[in-house]
Amino acid sequence: MAARNVSEVTRETWMQEVFPEWGTWLNEEIDRTKVPQGKFAMWWLGNMGIWLKTDQQTNLVVDFWCGTGKKTHDKPEMSDRHQWSRLTGGRTIQPNLRTIPMVMDPFSVTALDALLVTHYHHDHIDMNVVAAILQNVKEPIPFIGPQYAVDQWVAWGVPQERCRVVRPGDVLHIKDITINVVESFDRTVLITDPVKPEDRPDDDKVPDMDKRAVNYVIETSAGTIYHGGDSHYSTYYAEHGKRFDIDVALLAYGENPISVQDKMTSVDVLRATEALGAKVLIPLHWDVWSNMLANPHEVETLWRMRRERFDYKFHPMCWMPGGKFVYPDDKGKLEYYHERGFEDRYTHPVNVPFTAFL
């Protein structure tokens, strides 16, 4: 219950009244949206998280994450096994503060047909999300991911029978959606230790990527979405593009700190989209971390510089967390903006002292 007097206000009442910042606004919007025939709708949940709804009203969510980054300076140094320690030789914690609000309440999710994750980094897989699904989604929907993501779910207490281990080459059907599992190119996850210590390979051995991370090609009757997880650039995107007819590519883009190669750059995401043969590029992941913030308009600017020279058949779109994208309606949109409101203007008499006031 909301505090009605300052004497009733505590840290707990403040958190309950303010967090998550969007409340159930987005949950309600998704639940109340009826996708027309021949279309699909997506909402950006922040980072690489997307919610997909088809014209059969099937709901799929990928990399739904409701966590945070650093919240205090008083943190111990990274261990020598942390991926950033292994990559950079450093020990000082990265100052990765979460920069975007929580746009969705996982505990108000009731209608969902499957949860997919691309890999087990903890800004893609979330204990809060799986707990909320187990508690509030009545149907025993599947949790779908590579082996080490499933290991994490099971370690958290998710029933093994609810989990589906996938690897490249697998094809799954969730109602009217076909999910093609393809190779990931996430080289950072190759130096991230798995949940089970016994699965850690010797440091001079190249791990099996297929157990650690996957990408998804998600086919609907209205179009196909490519979700690249945290994949880096790879020439093998061209093979995926030859194998599938891709409409929208969701790719991880970010500004890499010195000595770190964790996200694709603006050039990389353009090259990857061209190789995939997609019609629309939507860069994601640039929004979330304070030390890796990027500007999607850089992607658009570079696209404008290169599109005539390379005869690009696609265009990028700058999205915003919590935003809605409908395909094919929005396939020509370059930039998203949230609903501005006041559509009912002048349906009732105005109430101001004089018209010139306006």
Side-chain angles (χ1 to χ4, degrees):
M1 183 168 61
R4 293 184 295 272
N5 185 282
V6 291
S7 65
E8 301 172 353
V9 175
T10 65
R11 190 170 188 268
E12 286 68 34
T13 65
W14 168 64
M15 288 191 292
Q16 289 171 5
E17 292 177 22
V18 173
F19 182 85
E21 294 92 333
W22 278 35
T24 56
W25 179 278
L26 192 58
N27 300 73
E28 296 163 10
E29 178 180 324
I30 294 171
D31 287 345
R32 297 171 189 178
T33 295
K34 184 171 178 58
V35 180
Q37 283 295 116
K39 301 180 182 182
F40 67 75
M42 293 191 299
W43 290 264
W44 186 17
L45 308 182
N47 206 25
M48 289 303 293
I50 63 108
W51 188 290
L52 169 67
K53 193 169 189 177
T54 72
D55 59 5
Q56 299 301 305
Q57 318 315 313
T58 303
N59 290 283
L60 198 72
V61 69
V62 185
D63 285 3
F64 184 12
W65 168 75
C66 296
T68 65
K70 300 302 183 293
K71 297 194 292 183
T72 175
H73 287 270
D74 299 326
K75 294 279 289 184
E77 290 187 338
M78 294 184 291
S79 75
D80 59 356
R81 295 303 308 174
H82 193 283
Q83 60 263 29
W84 299 133
S85 293
R86 295 186 65 187
L87 184 67
T88 68
R91 295 291 184 270
T92 303
I93 60 167
Q94 61 165 325
N96 61 324
L97 304 170
R98 182 179 175 127
T99 62
I100 59 167
M102 298 285 182
V103 297
M104 196 168 195
D105 180 353
F107 287 91
S108 294
V109 171
T110 57
L112 185 63
D113 295 293
L115 169 69
L116 281 66
V117 301
T118 56
H119 63 294
Y120 58 98
H121 280 153
H122 281 194
D123 57 344
H124 297 256
I125 188 171
D126 191 323
M127 181 188 290
N128 302 293
V129 168
V130 295
I133 292 171
L134 289 171
Q135 294 170 25
N136 299 315
V137 177
K138 293 180 180 179
E139 295 298 320
I141 68 165
F143 296 84
I144 299 166
Q147 179 65 65
Y148 290 174
V150 168
D151 290 345
Q152 179 66 89
W153 282 328
V154 172
W156 284 339
V158 178
Q160 181 76 57
E161 62 270 18
R162 294 287 297 273
C163 301
R164 171 68 188 270
V165 175
V166 293
R167 57 186 297 119
D170 288 346
V171 180
L172 292 76
H173 298 280
I174 304 294
K175 295 184 176 179
D176 56 308
I177 296 176
T178 299
I179 303 166
N180 302 277
V181 186
V182 296
E183 295 83 358
S184 169
F185 314 118
D186 180 5
R187 290 181 283 278
T188 302
V189 82
L190 289 178
I191 55 170
T192 303
D193 283 343
V195 176
K196 297 179 179 178
E198 62 268 26
D199 289 334
R200 191 175 82 188
D202 294 336
D203 289 352
D204 61 347
K205 303 297 183 184
V206 178
D208 182 352
M209 174 74 89
D210 295 345
K211 291 183 177 180
R212 295 173 175 240
V214 296
N215 292 354
Y216 295 109
V217 181
I218 304 169
E219 296 179 283
T220 77
S221 61
T224 299
I225 303 105
Y226 185 96
H227 194 294
D230 272 358
S231 286
H232 297 83
Y233 180 75
S234 170
T235 58
Y236 209 68
Y237 279 118
E239 194 278 339
H240 294 174
K242 188 171 184 179
R243 202 174 355 146
F244 300 100
D245 183 12
I246 298 166
D247 294 287
V248 180
L250 307 173
L251 301 174
Y253 161 59
E255 195 61 55
N256 297 297
I258 296 171
S259 80
V260 170
Q261 182 61 42
D262 186 50
K263 297 291 174 285
M264 284 193 274
T265 66
S266 50
V267 172
D268 293 333
V269 292
L270 291 173
R271 292 182 67 205
T273 306
E274 181 184 26
L276 288 169
K279 300 175 181 66
V280 180
L281 159 65
I282 306 183
L284 304 181
H285 215 316
W286 55 266
D287 62 309
V288 66
W289 296 131
S290 58
N291 64 326
M292 296 187 186
L293 280 177
N295 185 347
H297 291 291
E298 178 183 313
V299 176
E300 180 189 344
T301 298
L302 196 59
W303 170 79
R304 291 183 185 278
M305 293 173 63
R306 296 160 64 98
R307 60 178 174 171
E308 297 300 329
R309 176 182 295 181
F310 296 118
D311 192 27
Y312 282 159
K313 305 300 185 185
F314 68 92
H315 72 269
M317 190 193 78
C318 300
W319 213 359
M320 296 180 73
K324 181 181 181 181
F325 176 88
V326 177
Y327 192 86
D329 296 16
D330 297 331
K331 66 179 181 180
K333 184 178 290 187
L334 287 174
E335 184 170 3
Y336 173 86
Y337 197 84
H338 290 302
E339 183 180 8
R340 300 179 72 189
F342 304 102
E343 288 81 4
D344 63 342
R345 53 194 170 271
Y346 300 117
T347 57
H348 298 280
V350 298
N351 183 6
V352 293
F354 46 89
T355 304
F357 182 87
L358 302 173

